[in-house]
Amino acid sequence: MALAMVLTAIGLLHFIWAFSPWPFRDAVTFTKTIGGSDDGVLPPAPSTLLVGLALVGGAVLTLMVNESVPGIGPAWLRLVGMYALTAVLLTRGLGGYFMNSGAAAEFQRLNTFVYSPLCLALAALSGTVAVAASRRWP
């Protein structure tokens, strides 16, 4: 449940960010803190919405694999999706440290101590859900 709640919250933030730099006062502060640049150019709204949708989709997938909500589609495909979610989160968590090169100082600090470790923690949680579901496999 914790994984689903955090993925949903981050997904909702991406939906907001598609149209607004909230909770930051302006686009430059947003990009320095969240985007890694200091140019104030927000990412394209469709891309940001797609990331938000993927995160919320990952939350729903987690609930389906965990059998908290009814599953859609074959169980094996949901399980593969859960392992894929784990791989994506792990890649962002580990790869995030390479994003620091040339990035704004505020982003580097937050990416090093918040964003990348959060992705690694979420990868551990999603991996736990995937392995537990694999053990229930018939």
Side-chain angles (χ1 to χ4, degrees), residues 16 24 31 36 41 49 111 115 129:
I16 292 168
F24 304 97
T31 58
V41 177
L49 289 170
N111 189 47
Y115 308 148
V129 171

Side-chain angles (χ1 to χ4, degrees), residues 14-65:
H14 280 77
F15 292 147
I16 292 168
W17 292 339
F19 306 103
S20 164
W22 182 88
F24 304 97
R25 67 181 184 276
D26 56 38
V28 172
T29 306
F30 176 87
T31 58
K32 281 183 180 180
T33 308
I34 303 293
S37 69
D38 56 2
D39 60 9
V41 177
L42 296 173
S47 301
T48 306
L49 289 170
L50 193 59
V51 171
L53 186 60
L55 289 163
V56 171
V60 172
L61 176 65
T62 299
L63 294 174
M64 286 192 295
V65 168

Side-chain angles (χ1 to χ4, degrees), residues 21-137:
W22 182 88
F24 304 97
R25 67 181 184 276
D26 56 38
V28 172
T29 306
F30 176 87
T31 58
K32 281 183 180 180
T33 308
I34 303 293
S37 69
D38 56 2
D39 60 9
V41 177
L42 296 173
S47 301
T48 306
L49 289 170
L50 193 59
V51 171
L53 186 60
L55 289 163
V56 171
V60 172
L61 176 65
T62 299
L63 294 174
M64 286 192 295
V65 168
N66 198 29
E67 298 177 349
S68 298
V69 299
I72 298 171
W76 68 266
L77 187 57
R78 292 191 304 270
L79 188 58
V80 167
M82 199 70 218
Y83 279 105
L85 175 62
T86 301
V88 168
L89 291 168
L90 185 61
T91 300
R92 169 54 182 93
L94 294 174
Y97 294 104
F98 297 102
M99 297 168 62
N100 286 342
S101 178
E106 182 66 14
F107 175 81
Q108 287 181 21
R109 186 179 63 76
L110 288 169
N111 189 47
T112 299
F113 297 108
V114 179
Y115 308 148
S116 289
L118 175 62
C119 289
L120 292 172
L122 294 175
L125 287 173
S126 64
T128 300
V129 171
V131 168
S134 295
R135 290 184 178 161
R136 291 192 311 265
W137 188 260

